[in-house]
Every structure is written in C-alpha cells, then in structure tokens.
Amino acid sequence: MLTKDLIGLIANASGLTKKQVEHLLSTNNAILRETLMAGKSVQLQGLGTLEIKERKERVIVHPKTGERNVVPSKSQLVFRPVNNMKDELKKI
Amino acid sequence: MAEDKLSWSELRHALAQRAGVTEKVANTFLNALNAQLIEALKQDKQVKINGLGTFRLQAVAPRKSVNVTTGEAITIEGYNKISFSAEAGVKEMIERTQSKSTAKSEVAALVETVTADPLKKLSEQADEIIDILADLGQAPNEEEKGQVDEAETSESKTKEEKQEVPQMEESAAEESQSEPIKEEVAEEQKQEEPIAEEEKESIAEEKQEEPKEEETAVVPEFPNNSETEIEPIQEPETPEEKIIIRPVIVKHVEPVIGRGVEPMPEKAAEPAEPISLETPAATPTPATQSFSSISETPIEQSAPTIPSTPSAPYVPSAPSAPTTQSTPSMPSMPSMPSMPSTSATQYSQHTQYTQSTQYTTASKPAAPKQDEPKKKESHFFRNLLVWLLILLLLAGAGYLLLRHYGMSGWIDSYIYGTQNATIVQPADTIVAADTIADSRDSIESELKEEEMQFEKIKYRYIKTERMHRDSRLIWMSKRYYGDKAYWPYLYDANRDRIINPDQVEVGTPIRVPKLTRELRDTTIEHTRLRLRALRREAEAARNK
C-alpha cells in the first residue's frame, strides 16, 4: 500500500480532507525525522516506538582467505511495535 | 536514546503547531493514522509512508521443535512479524548524523593486531627453524672438536654463503667462498652415500677446478703462515655447519661444477691432483654411514677403497698421521672435522695442505654424486616414461587413422582434406585389389564389358545417411555391407546427388541401398563386371 492509499484511508476514517491529511502526514513525518535526527526516539501510541539504534562495528573473517575486515558501525532506524500491535498482526 | 522520548502528547503538540491546526485535529489525525496503519498492514502486509519508510509484515514459517521437558515434538506455528525499513534518504541522513569515529578506531586496532599475529608467527617459526638447524650443525662440531667458539663465527659466514650460493650457481665454482662449502658438503654426503662411476669423472673435473682456485687463493697465503690454524680450522668447521645447508647447496652447485670444470682440467693437471681424483671416489663409498659416526665409520669403508687409489701421496692428507702414507691413515681422512685440532702439524707442510685441500675438493664432488645419481635416475626414468607414453599415444593414433581411412584414404585426405567436400576414395585404389583377380580374364572381361549393358538396378533402400566431414562412400560400404568393394553401388544409387564420388558435399543425404545376395557375390562374373563398370563410371565422373 502506498502513501496515497493510506491518505485516502485516513481521510475516510477521520473525516478530514485528503489535502489536510496529506499535509498533516508530511508534517508529521518531518517532525519524526527531526526528532530522530536529534537522537530522540518517538513513541507512537498504539503502534510502537521509532528509534535509532547503533549497530556496533564488528570484525568479520573472510572464510576463504582468512582475511579480517571491520564492518563499520552504523545507525539504523528501528521500529519496535507495541505488544498489542504485534499480537494483532501475528495472525491474520 | 530511549530516555529522551518524544511522547505522544508532545508529538501531537508539535504537529498541531507545525501544521497550523488545532490539537484536536492533530489528535484525530494521529489516531486515524495509527489505526489505518494497522488496518493497511492487515490488508496489504505492506505500507509505504513517504518521507519515513516502509512497514512490512513478515511471515515467519512454522518450524518444528521439541518440548524440552517431555521431549515431545512440537511445531511452533508460524506468525507475522512487523518489520520497518527506513527510506533511503532517511537512512542516509541518520547515518550522517551519527559519529562513529571513536569506537571504530579501537576495533580497527584490534583487527590489525589480530592480522599481524599470523605473520609474526611465520617469521618466528622461520627463525626457530634456523636456530634449530644451527644447533644441530653445532652439536657434531662440539663432539668432534673442542673448537666451538669458532663455529659460531663460521655459522654466520656459512649463512651468508648460503645466500650467495644460489645466486652464484653458475659462478659458484669460481668464487673462493663457495668452495669451502662445497668441500664440506661433499664430505658429509660422501659418508652418506656411495658414488657412481660416472659421477666420479665429474668429481675429478670438479677437483681440478677447485684445486686451482684454492691454490690461487689459499695456497699462497698458507706458506707464509704455515702453522696458522685459522685457515684449516675454518674449512672443517664450516662443513659441519653447512651440513644444514647442504641439501640446497649440493643440488645447485653440482651441475654447475660439472659444466664449468670441463674447460679447466688442463690447468688442474698437477701431480697431486690425479691422486685426489681417484681418492674422492674411494671416500664417497663410506657414504652410507650417518653423519654422527662419520669419524669412526669412514675409516673402515675407506680402507677398501684405498687400494683403488693408486698414489700413496694422497694418504698424507689424513689429519692424524700426515707423514705416514700408509693406507690405514686414509680412513681418518673422511673425518675432516677432527683435522682442525691437529691442523697445525698437518698443515705445516705445504704439500700436505694442498693434498688435503685436494682431498676435500675431491670429496665435494663426491657429495654431489649422491644427489646427482638419484636425480639423474629419477629424471631419466621420468623422461623415459613420458616419451614412452607419447610414443604409445602417437602409435595408437596412427594405427587408428590407418585403420579407419586406410593408407590411400589418408593420402587423399591430405590432398583434399582442406576442401569442404568430403572425399571418397578414388576408385583406383579399390580397383587395385580387384584388378589382380580380374587380370586373368581381363581381356575377355573387357571384351564382354564393352558389349554388356547392365540393366539398371532397382534399389530398395535401407536407410538414408547424411554425409559429414569424415564420411566416405567406401567406409559406408564397409559399414553396411562388410566390404569396401561395394561402394560403387552407393554411388550408383545416388547418382542424382553425387557429382564427384571423391568429393561428396557435406550434408548430402546418401541413400543406402539393400544389396541382394547376387549383387554382393563377387564370385559371379556378372556382378564383378557390373561393379567394375560402376567403378569406371564413378571414375569418369571424378575425372570430369
């Protein structure tokens, strides 16, 4: 499902116009990005948490050559769903 | 990070402010967003939100497991898992904002140390091996001689020499430094293995070379300080130390010596040299004995060999009793290491020294002999085997070719081989066989032939075969009828397709006729004549 479809759904459910929803959604995303960028995590009620997790750098060994390399650390945007949501989606 | 969370209310507030709407609207929107997100996930299992990322439902397949307490087999049911992947742009931005410098350097350093370890180990191992070898080399010296101190210095020399030797392979014989090594090595090897006669000759040559060099370099110095033990000592010591090195050196040096020596022999022809030549052969015989027992065993073995050595003068070279030329003294010779101790007295006489040097030189060649014969033999056998194989293969290929094409076919293939069209054997060749039989009644048959008009054979066809590069009418005849002689029938049956029976185009479908017994039976004159006539026609077609 694409953003467009989601906007339609939200508009239907909330009684807002699509334009409004679109505007709100983009603003929402901008806020989320900025907060995440600032190193904060975002709690979405009923959904879960969006947070930035740091993957530590690690050493990998090439199985054939025995060569050792460092995989640099990196940050990832991670979503941790709330248990409710998890359970709800486990079985469809 | 988890500590500073943007709470739901904060988000709502920020959203309302930013979008310029009331918090109520923002609230309804956010609630609707969450609810619809879940709905959308249920529906499509995937929701893409621009500017943020994609939510997905990932199915986890059911798997089997075991109840830990009871040991019963259970299947864990499959379920859906929510996964989120950030948009590419968002990912980049996040990564950019993160500083990775500090932790990274630590791990990198760790890796460097880890990778460095194996290298160190290798180098260390090499050092250890060298040390061990050096120790082994020194041990014998200590036992036989009390002069261990000099051995150490000589070791370093030998090491240097080792390095030099491989480089100098060709010029090794010429350089004075390499000589002692060879001599020593030779001595050691002598003790180990007997020398072949052929090798003896080469040894003799080597001897000649070496004496020259030694005489030029060493001898002049020696007379001046005849009693100095330094020169003799160095030589004996080095040999033992060099023992470690010897396998490598010997291989390289031996061949070189043999080549280089040949031109030299004239110069080498001095009174002492001839003796030395023979003596070396004698010394090598004891070779079977181990290195440690060199001093003792060589004597016994060398004794029998001594008789072969013609000249008594050689004997003086023995370290123990230089003056006495008796054969018993000879055995002591092999034990060169012991020589240094008595070297002062022994080397006092210039002649003796030269002899001893010759001996050593002689012994050098002996050492190479051991390896050389083995090598030569192995090489010889290997080469022999290889050549035999090649010959067999060639013979087999030739046989197959001959059998398949016959000589004439082969020749034809030479003549026409490059052309695209396949070549059928010329009729002549087949005729040749028949002509002998035909020759008796040749006149009659020819007469008859002219008169005879053969009715056209009505063929019934067994099969159609396409000509390919290697097919020949003759061989098809042989294959189908068991005799090459019937190929004219093939031509006859395919006249419409075959213009030249010697060069049938590749791909031409050839009808293979069924031959009646009458057509096959060459004892029937009619058949013979018919075949002949067909051959003639084929020939005529070929000559067109």
Side-chain angles (χ1 to χ4, degrees):
Chain A
M1 184 174 284
L2 299 180
T3 317
K4 232 186 188 174
D5 311 317
L6 185 64
I7 289 171
L9 280 177
I10 295 172
N12 276 344
S14 63
L16 300 169
T17 63
K18 280 194 183 178
K19 243 187 178 175
Q20 266 182 311
V21 174
E22 194 176 350
H23 176 63
L24 280 171
L25 187 57
S26 60
T27 321
N28 183 32
N29 290 343
I31 292 170
L32 292 185
R33 281 203 301 270
E34 280 164 21
T35 8
L36 289 171
M37 239 43 108
K40 277 184 170 182
S41 56
V42 179
Q43 193 179 21
L44 304 174
Q45 211 169 51
L47 280 183
T49 314
L50 274 176
E51 65 183 13
I52 289 177
K53 236 184 182 178
E54 190 178 339
R55 301 269 181 233
K56 283 183 186 171
E57 65 180 352
R58 62 209 154 93
V59 179
I60 57 169
V61 180
H62 192 289
K64 261 189 183 170
T65 62
E67 199 180 335
R68 284 165 193 276
N69 276 321
V70 179
V71 177
S73 66
K74 63 179 175 184
S75 309
Q76 272 183 334
L77 181 53
V78 174
F79 174 69
R80 284 194 310 183
V82 179
N83 282 342
N84 271 343
M85 187 190 182
K86 267 195 201 169
D87 294 337
E88 201 173 335
L89 292 177
K90 258 188 184 173
K91 294 294 170 194
I92 296 179
Chain B
M1 291 180 189
E3 291 144 11
D4 15 39
K5 251 185 195 173
L6 186 69
S7 69
W8 184 246
S9 56
E10 284 170 340
L11 176 60
R12 190 202 310 151
H13 187 67
L15 180 59
Q17 270 193 340
R18 188 80 76 84
V21 287
T22 60
E23 283 206 19
K24 213 179 179 184
V25 176
N27 190 30
T28 50
F29 162 75
L30 285 174
N31 282 334
L33 170 65
N34 293 351
Q36 293 313 310
L37 194 60
I38 293 175
E39 285 306 312
L41 272 178
K42 279 183 184 172
Q43 209 175 311
D44 280 6
K45 304 203 171 183
Q46 179 172 345
V47 179
K48 188 175 179 184
I49 301 176
N50 281 349
L52 195 59
T54 310
F55 292 90
R56 273 196 199 86
L57 269 190
Q58 257 181 351
V60 177
R63 58 197 160 95
K64 285 180 182 175
S65 182
V66 175
N67 186 334
V68 183
T69 51
T70 61
E72 278 179 51
I74 334 165
T75 51
I76 298 175
E77 294 180 16
Y79 59 96
N80 293 311
K81 174 171 91 170
I82 301 152
S83 79
F84 171 78
S85 57
E87 218 173 49
V90 178
K91 254 189 203 169
E92 264 182 41
M93 289 168 70
I94 290 171
E95 293 220 354
R96 239 183 286 149
T97 54
Q98 298 299 317
S99 61
K100 328 154 190 176
S101 57
T102 55
K104 189 182 180 181
S105 63
E106 291 176 9
V107 179
L110 227 175
V111 172
E112 285 175 7
T113 57
V114 173
T115 50
D117 281 345
L119 292 176
K120 282 182 181 176
K121 285 176 184 173
L122 281 177
S123 59
E124 286 175 2
Q125 285 177 349
D127 290 341
E128 289 177 0
I129 291 172
I130 292 173
D131 291 344
I132 292 171
L133 287 177
D135 291 344
L136 286 174
Q138 286 179 350
N141 290 341
E142 294 177 359
E143 295 174 0
E144 295 176 345
K145 311 171 187 179
Q147 307 168 350
V148 185
D149 303 343
E150 295 177 359
E152 295 177 355
T153 56
S154 60
E155 289 178 359
S156 60
K157 294 177 182 178
T158 53
K159 289 176 181 177
E160 295 174 358
E161 292 173 354
K162 296 175 188 177
Q163 298 174 349
E164 294 175 358
V165 174
Q167 298 173 349
M168 302 189 303
E169 289 177 359
E170 297 176 358
S171 61
E174 299 176 359
E175 297 185 21
S176 59
Q177 295 178 348
S178 60
E179 294 175 4
I181 303 172
K182 300 171 187 176
E183 296 177 0
E184 296 162 358
V185 175
E187 293 175 3
E188 297 167 356
Q189 294 177 348
K190 293 172 188 176
Q191 298 165 355
E192 295 176 356
E193 298 179 359
I195 306 166
E197 295 179 359
E198 298 175 358
E199 294 169 353
K200 290 179 184 178
E201 296 176 359
S202 64
I203 296 167
E205 295 174 353
E206 295 176 9
K207 294 173 186 176
Q208 294 171 352
E209 291 181 356
E210 292 174 354
K212 299 172 189 176
E213 297 169 355
E214 290 179 355
E215 289 173 1
T216 55
V218 183
V219 177
E221 296 176 0
F222 195 79
N224 297 339
N225 42 10
S226 59
E227 295 181 358
T228 57
E229 299 178 358
I230 301 171
E231 294 175 356
I233 293 169
Q234 289 177 348
E235 295 177 354
E237 290 173 355
T238 48
E240 295 173 353
E241 299 166 356
K242 291 167 185 175
I243 296 167
I244 307 162
I245 314 162
R246 94 183 98 142
V248 181
I249 299 173
V250 177
K251 297 173 183 177
H252 295 295
V253 178
E254 295 174 17
V256 177
I257 296 171
R259 297 169 192 164
V261 179
E262 295 174 358
M264 305 291 287
E266 299 175 356
K267 298 177 182 178
E270 294 178 354
E273 294 171 358
I275 300 167
S276 63
L277 297 176
E278 296 175 356
T279 52
T283 51
T285 52
T288 52
Q289 299 175 348
S290 63
F291 177 74
S292 58
S293 61
I294 294 167
S295 58
E296 297 175 359
T297 51
I299 301 172
E300 300 173 356
Q301 297 179 350
S302 60
T305 57
I306 294 166
S308 63
T309 60
S311 64
Y314 174 79
V315 180
S317 61
S320 58
T323 52
T324 59
Q325 298 179 354
S326 62
T327 52
S329 63
M330 286 292 294
S332 61
M333 293 281 299
S335 60
M336 289 301 289
S338 60
M339 295 209 28
S341 58
T342 57
S343 58
T345 55
Q346 295 173 355
Y347 291 102
S348 60
Q349 297 181 358
H350 177 70
T351 55
Q352 291 178 356
Y353 174 77
T354 53
Q355 291 174 353
S356 64
T357 55
Q358 292 171 355
Y359 171 79
T360 53
T361 56
S363 60
K364 304 170 191 176
K369 293 172 185 178
Q370 312 164 346
D371 293 2
E372 279 187 357
K374 290 178 179 178
K375 285 183 183 177
K376 281 182 179 177
E377 284 183 10
S378 64
H379 273 276
F380 177 73
F381 279 120
R382 203 192 302 153
N383 286 340
L384 204 79
L385 271 174
V386 168
W387 281 112
L388 270 177
L389 266 175
I390 292 172
L391 275 176
L392 272 174
L393 279 175
L394 282 177
Y399 175 72
L400 277 177
L401 269 177
L402 275 179
R403 213 181 146 200
H404 194 252
Y405 297 119
M407 261 321 262
S408 54
W410 201 13
I411 293 165
D412 285 349
S413 70
Y414 260 105
I415 299 168
Y416 302 107
T418 52
Q419 302 176 0
N420 251 349
T422 59
I423 301 135
V424 178
Q425 265 200 319
D428 297 1
T429 54
I430 299 165
V431 177
D434 294 26
T435 41
I436 301 166
D438 295 343
S439 58
R440 303 175 214 147
D441 45 13
S442 58
I443 302 169
E444 300 175 41
S445 59
E446 279 179 13
L447 288 176
K448 286 177 190 172
E449 211 180 345
E450 290 173 5
E451 298 167 3
M452 280 181 87
Q453 288 295 329
F454 296 103
E455 73 285 5
K456 268 206 168 183
I457 307 169
K458 285 190 177 177
Y459 292 112
R460 286 174 54 211
Y461 301 107
I462 315 169
K463 192 181 175 183
T464 305
E465 184 177 317
R466 282 189 181 277
M467 294 291 282
H468 54 84
R469 252 197 78 98
D470 296 327
S471 41
R472 305 281 187 276
L473 290 185
I474 276 190
W475 295 114
M476 288 171 71
S477 156
K478 169 119 188 168
R479 227 181 322 133
Y480 286 108
Y481 311 130
D483 197 327
K484 292 188 247 179
Y486 301 117
W487 71 268
Y489 289 129
L490 285 171
Y491 165 72
D492 189 36
N494 297 280
R495 275 176 203 255
D496 50 334
R497 308 164 182 202
I498 299 175
I499 300 163
N500 181 350
D502 278 355
Q503 297 186 8
V504 184
E505 265 188 42
V506 172
T508 311
I510 299 293
R511 287 170 303 202
V512 182
K514 187 178 185 182
L515 293 189
T516 59
R517 184 174 291 174
E518 189 194 345
L519 285 175
R520 284 188 187 211
D521 194 352
T522 46
T523 54
I524 303 170
E525 194 183 8
H526 186 266
T527 310
R528 219 162 45 220
L529 289 177
R530 188 210 293 276
L531 265 177
R532 194 185 223 194
L534 288 175
R535 262 194 323 257
R536 291 253 165 101
E537 284 169 28
E539 214 172 318
R542 189 186 61 185
N543 293 334
K544 270 181 190 174

